[in-house]
Amino acid sequence: MDLTHSAEDEAVRNEIRTWLEENLSGDFAGLRGRGGPGREHEAFDERVAWDRHLAAAGWTCLGWPEGHGGRGLGLIQKVIFHEEYAKANAPARVGHIGEELLGPTLIAYGTEEQKQRFLPGIRNVTELWCQGYSEPGAGSDLASVSTRARLEGDSWILDGQKVWTSLAHVADWCFVVARTEPDSKRHAGLSYLLVPMDQPGVEVRPIDQLTGTSEFNEIFFDGARTDASLVVGEPGEGWKVAMATLGFERGVSTIGQQVGFRRELDGVVAMAHENGAIEDPVIRDGLVRARMGLEVMRLNALRTLAGSSTGADEGPAASIAKLVWATWHRSLGELAMEVAGAPSLVADAPPYDLDPWQRLFLFARADTIYGGSNEIQRNIISERVLGLPREPRP
Amino acid sequence: MDLTHSAEDEAVRNEIRTWLEENLSGDFAGLRGRGGPGREHEAFDERVAWDRHLAAAGWTCLGWPEGHGGRGLGLIQKVIFHEEYAKANAPARVGHIGEELLGPTLIAYGTEEQKQRFLPGIRNVTELWCQGYSEPGAGSDLASVSTRARLEGDSWILDGQKVWTSLAHVADWCFVVARTEPDSKRHAGLSYLLVPMDQPGVEVRPIDQLTGTSEFNEIFFDGARTDASLVVGEPGEGWKVAMATLGFERGVSTIGQQVGFRRELDGVVAMAHENGAIEDPVIRDGLVRARMGLEVMRLNALRTLAGSSTGADEGPAASIAKLVWATWHRSLGELAMEVAGAPSLVADAPPYDLDPWQRLFLFARADTIYGGSNEIQRNIISERVLGLPREPRP
Amino acid sequence: MRFALTEEQRGFAEVLDDLLAASNTPQVVRSWAHGDHDAGLKLWQRLTELGVSGLLAPEEQGGLDADAVDLTVAFEALGRHAVPGPWVESAALLPALLRGTDQDEFLAGIASGGNLATALVTDMGSHALDADVATHRFVLHGTTLYGGVAGAVHRSVDPARRLCPVEAGAEVVDLAEATTVRAVDTAVLACSAQLLGAGEHLLRAAVDHARSRKQFGRAIGEYQALKHALADIRVALDFARPLVHVAALALREGSSDARRDVSAAKVAAGDAAYTAARTALQVHGAIGYTEEYDLGLWITKVRALVTAWGTPALHRARVHEAITRRPVEV
Amino acid sequence: MRFALTEEQRGFAEVLDDLLAASNTPQVVRSWAHGDHDAGLKLWQRLTELGVSGLLAPEEQGGLDADAVDLTVAFEALGRHAVPGPWVESAALLPALLRGTDQDEFLAGIASGGNLATALVTDMGSHALDADVATHRFVLHGTTLYGGVAGAVHRSVDPARRLCPVEAGAEVVDLAEATTVRAVDTAVLACSAQLLGAGEHLLRAAVDHARSRKQFGRAIGEYQALKHALADIRVALDFARPLVHVAALALREGSSDARRDVSAAKVAAGDAAYTAARTALQVHGAIGYTEEYDLGLWITKVRALVTAWGTPALHRARVHEAITRRPVEV
């Protein structure tokens, strides 16, 4: 057991760090700290340019095989990239849905044609993707999808509605889970389709949120079309492919996320020192717990990394990590507001209407809901790790 | 809305206080603070004598109608009695199961003969009772009772086992819920029987607990007999009677209980001041929270009192109170042990092997289990107060 | 000894609830948040007709001479329906400050609903609520009440609470310390009652949603984890309310423990309402987080009220101090 | 970079588990609690043969020269099986104190299992564990190690931990402060690992019970409230273990943060084990509270270990102090 990096890994770290220092400058200097959950609207076009700049230098899709345009980096080096990226306060990526979710799914399940058609666009950030999973009234229950698709000649025709779709208003394509066998139930009869967004049958409506921003959207499919060949995996077996995508969602970027959390926590601590809130023993204890919680999340991620080479089932580990970070982040938001005190009530004008602590508070509350609610995670842990019986289903 | 007592109530308070001062003296002086949950073994015979002394002076069964040997006191005056009784640190009562549970049940459901036969013994503390509800493997699920009783000639014959029976080893009688219709299920086919303990077919075995004491028992019925007339309510309708008894269990004595809690809390606070634990901000915050929690329990009891004349359903209010006091008391036990620190680990010899804080810790943990677990209470609140659906039953 | 609302008080609460339930308050709140005060001012008048604004004003000036318990009844209803406007300032703080001074005309205006007053209490913040629409603005600094000069409106974390910086102008009156303490405590009490009411609404919304929304083929309200979380909110609210009432009694009786009791009420009501907001959001899922859904009106309101009129840290510290000052009392 | 146990360490844990699972440790614990040490001493010898007692002793004295990570592996197994005896003192504290002194013979006796040593660390308590059966008794006061003279055995909240007051006798050796700090930290670490192991056992017992016990016609493990409570324990233990391992690494590397890391590990492992005990009791219901049921052996053990080797308050204060000393680091 050791926590030190090999010389080779340190060399990768230095390369990344140096490149970021040199490149997050000039036009890009102002992008530090921009974007991210609750702030996806910030400097969007500039961040697209930055992502393409990263791509040109070969810093996208690091873990993909070299044959598909990646660098074939191992887990630890990917973690190092994310750590350095977060430490440099580099802007939130715009292409992450394609890079982290669809790309690996296509590499695993896509046809040769699909890979050739789509992987370069993801890798070079020339095509942006969004994820069409959630539906109104379905929430965490993906298997109750009711968006329908039917094959007519050379095309799939889609009708239905998706919701909570991040970045749909800027995406070129959407990967959609749709019911392609009319009377099928639950997990059966679903297909995983790739659908172009720029067409008459697709309408995107932003959802205004309590943060005053609207990075989530509803998508309405009304006779939307896509080519018959653009189904990933066999028709009717979309559930398996969709689950694989969800698996990729729990990637190494959590380590980078923690660097961001650390920056937020440091900010709250600094504010507590400035305004004297640190003298309140309850707040002080909360800050110490938050610090310890963050350390534990970091260590857990490192441990998960060490274990991931063993091929063990990572679903439960991901559930544990999600449950903990979501709860931690919500608590930090609450703590930040308590530290800030009365001044935390005043805001400026939209869309930049909230200071970082208000945004942290409002957005972090949603963490325990998105990406699988706390309740779902606890079910997974109790059933898959502890072996407790499933709840009776009607 | 007011929290002051009428002159009449204050007169009752003075009468009780004076009587207790004068009578908790001489031979009885040493009984102050003896007995109670986790300490029922303490000075038992002397406490029986004390209870009979109370009875002789007319201080038992205060709320019973005068015709049955009670005083017909109202709720508030009963509360005042319990407050003063607890403030005087008078010993825990030995006859409370008869007085608070069986007596009211007989008054409501018993035959005239049953009342004449049993109420005087309860009122004068010449016959002690225990409650035969729980069974091995049944726990909170009273309806799954499997102790059987059949009518043979003039007698009920009982076979089966009860468990967690307080004071069974000293009781003269037991009220037993038994299945009297062989193939009946759940709530149907149960009867509520009064069974003498001193007979060959009844065996009592004490259950040793982590506290080193054993106030709970198992009762084995092996052809135990009781007279055919000693069924309360109709045969087969024991569920209704048993539920009524449980209703009486949530009586006004909670206010007295809170006075006892206050004494425990004061002791923990004093210890924290003595050994410096009060300087730990987390412990200090815990103590303040405990103090506030206790105040809230007191106010809630007063509010429930005010509402109880309206005849509203008191089950949920009782569930709320139970959930809160059990959780509060468990936390106090934990806090006490943290305040006590390393010295809390050392104990003396059994059966007085634990200091008050150790006993508080070990016993209070059980509070969240006995008398309906926290889980059961939350089910009741969510279903009966909030109107949420019941869980599906198989 | 009767620790319960009187029949009159329960009737008052029902009348207020009936009015407010029929007033489409979510729409009133949204308009108010956008600076369109018409509907809110109409509602102000109708509540005034029921006596809300004049509760604490003297009878001679058209008020009701009601007590602090009555006040909690009214403010719980205001919180339950998320009524916008400077109610705490107009109906609690200022009447409590100015009773017995020479400000009879002002108090008569409060009771008649003609005066909409707001105030900045300098040791609790730097902004005053809704100073843009108020007819009177004040600054309470120490024991002195000044007229106030308001700056531009800022949006706040609760868009329906429009906050303005206010500077002290001419002195209005210098007060006894006991009066200012009592008046500010009365405002804190009113805020606590609002929190309770908002918490009740959030619980009810969460329960309604849990009963109707299905997931994995069952009403989500059948799931035990959710049921128990909602039960815990019911408990938290049921245990905060008596603290609010006791604090009201302490203020009414002029008890020396009033400040401690008010702080305890604010902490408990804030915690309960906050937990209700958190759980309501969790129960609703992502939809509870959208602006178009009414739930957010109460969630942001609770967020603001938890911090307004003294942060939890401030009130917790007061309770700590009051309790640990007398060692035997912790 | 590999934050995981080595294959050898996992193998070591398995070998220990196999031995202990076959040793009827609940019976050993009960006998030990009644002062009948035979079975416990036999188990001590068998664990010694596997190297547990000599882990930290130098190779020259027959020890294994193992590191603090190995130590946590062994003590987690001891905790999982509730093994009684002065293991922390004999296998962690004293070897860490006496390595590099002239106490070669004593260390050789530790490694061979012939020496059963106990010690009172005066700033953490006033009693020593199992001094009645120990072959050597010590008192560590400041940086000086003395021989110890034991008084009568007291029962403790965990009956299998027999505590004796001990008075300091002749001085054995005066040590560098760094050595004593490191040795006591090593003992705290061992105790933390024991807590983890005990917590794991309690979780497993609760899960087994929840799967087999039926109530209202369903296995109680189907009820979501219970499932989620058990899931939370799984999470708490999974998140305490890395802190224990990091503290072990810090001790191994001689990091200046070692004391803070050890305290953080003790707090986290204690909290997790304590929650496991509380939930296991809740899951079992009243039967978990009886003396005849094995569960109680672990519950009282956890209760004792949470307070032993520094109370939660002490370790929490150390973490607070270490973290807030450097403002930017909180």
Side-chain angles (χ1 to χ4, degrees), chain C residues 14-319:
Chain C
E14 269 177 40
V15 168
L16 292 175
D17 270 333
D18 288 348
L19 166 66
L20 293 168
S23 300
N24 192 2
T25 55
Q27 192 47 49
V28 175
V29 176
R30 289 180 201 284
S31 302
W32 191 275
H34 290 99
D36 172 3
H37 295 110
D38 289 354
L41 292 176
K42 260 180 220 149
L43 189 56
W44 189 286
Q45 276 310 322
R46 301 187 64 183
L47 287 164
T48 293
E49 286 155 23
L50 294 178
V52 176
S53 65
L55 277 172
L56 296 193
E59 277 191 51
E60 304 84 68
Q61 277 77 46
L64 294 177
D65 262 336
D67 69 17
V69 180
D70 301 315
L71 193 74
T72 65
V73 171
F75 275 85
E76 186 171 341
L78 297 180
R80 194 153 48 237
H81 298 275
V83 176
W87 283 99
V88 172
E89 293 79 355
S90 296
L93 177 74
L94 288 161
L97 274 176
L98 295 175
R99 278 179 71 100
T101 68
D102 57 1
Q103 301 289 318
D104 289 350
E105 199 181 327
F106 172 79
L107 288 171
I110 286 285
S112 72
N115 289 351
L116 234 77
T118 189
L120 161 65
V121 177
T122 57
D123 61 359
M124 283 182 166
S126 53
H127 292 65
L129 179 63
D130 296 316
D132 55 336
V133 68
T135 59
H136 295 69
R137 303 168 196 87
F138 299 94
V139 173
L140 179 65
H141 183 69
T143 60
T144 311
L145 187 69
Y146 302 88
V149 182
V153 173
H154 288 240
R155 284 195 64 195
S156 86
V157 75
D158 172 8
R161 290 173 59 86
R162 295 156 65 84
L163 299 177
C164 306
V166 183
E167 303 228 341
E171 177 175 328
V172 176
V173 56
D174 193 44
L175 297 153
E177 192 184 348
T179 304
T180 58
V181 165
R182 185 186 158 88
V184 172
D185 286 348
T186 303
V188 175
L189 177 72
C191 177
S192 307
Q194 265 184 305
L195 277 163
L196 270 190
E200 288 289 348
H201 174 88
L202 286 161
L203 172 59
R204 187 171 173 170
V207 166
D208 287 348
H209 189 77
R211 285 158 71 159
S212 60
R213 173 101 155 79
K214 288 200 189 310
Q215 200 162 46
F216 300 108
R218 288 165 56 183
I220 61 173
E222 282 182 27
Y223 290 97
Q224 206 181 33
L226 197 152
K227 286 169 72 167
H228 287 190
L230 293 171
D232 284 342
I233 297 173
R234 179 68 274 151
V235 172
L237 289 166
D238 273 1
F239 275 74
R241 185 169 291 99
L243 286 176
V244 170
H245 287 158
V246 155
L249 290 178
L251 277 174
R252 184 179 79 183
E253 313 297 342
S255 157
S256 61
D257 288 333
R259 170 145 280 191
R260 178 200 69 187
D261 290 347
V262 165
S263 284
K266 178 70 160 47
V267 170
D271 283 354
Y274 188 81
T275 310
R278 179 200 261 196
T279 301
L281 191 56
Q282 193 74 18
V283 167
H284 280 81
I287 196 171
Y289 194 62
T290 57
E291 244 177 32
E292 71 186 84
Y293 203 75
D294 289 342
L295 193 76
L297 305 178
W298 277 265
I299 286 174
T300 51
K301 173 83 65 201
V302 164
R303 168 62 195 93
L305 292 180
V306 163
T307 299
W309 296 102
T311 60
L314 179 141
H315 290 293
R316 199 167 49 222
R318 281 188 182 167
V319 175

Side-chain angles (χ1 to χ4, degrees), chain D residues 3-164:
Chain D
F3 188 53
L5 296 178
T6 61
E7 207 161 310
E8 292 72 31
Q9 287 164 335
R10 293 203 305 275
F12 184 41
E14 269 178 39
V15 169
L16 292 175
D17 271 332
D18 288 347
L19 166 65
L20 292 168
S23 299
N24 191 3
T25 54
Q27 192 47 52
V28 175
V29 175
R30 289 180 201 284
S31 301
W32 191 275
H34 290 99
D36 171 3
H37 296 108
D38 289 356
L41 293 175
K42 260 180 219 150
L43 189 56
W44 189 285
Q45 276 309 322
R46 300 185 66 182
L47 287 164
T48 294
E49 285 156 24
L50 295 179
V52 177
S53 65
L55 277 172
L56 296 192
E59 276 191 51
E60 303 85 66
Q61 277 77 46
L64 293 178
D65 263 335
D67 69 18
V69 180
D70 300 316
L71 193 74
T72 65
V73 171
F75 275 86
E76 186 171 341
L78 296 180
R80 196 153 47 238
H81 297 275
V83 176
W87 282 100
V88 172
E89 294 80 355
S90 297
L93 177 74
L94 288 161
L97 274 175
L98 294 174
R99 279 179 69 100
T101 67
D102 57 1
Q103 300 289 319
D104 289 352
E105 200 180 327
F106 172 79
L107 289 171
I110 286 285
S112 71
N115 289 352
L116 234 78
T118 189
L120 161 66
V121 177
T122 57
D123 61 359
M124 284 185 165
S126 54
H127 292 65
L129 179 63
D130 297 316
D132 55 336
V133 68
T135 59
H136 295 70
R137 302 166 196 90
F138 298 95
V139 173
L140 179 65
H141 184 69
T143 60
T144 310
L145 187 70
Y146 301 90
V149 183
V153 174
H154 288 239
R155 283 193 68 192
S156 87
V157 75
D158 172 9
R161 290 174 59 88
R162 296 157 64 84
L163 300 176
C164 306

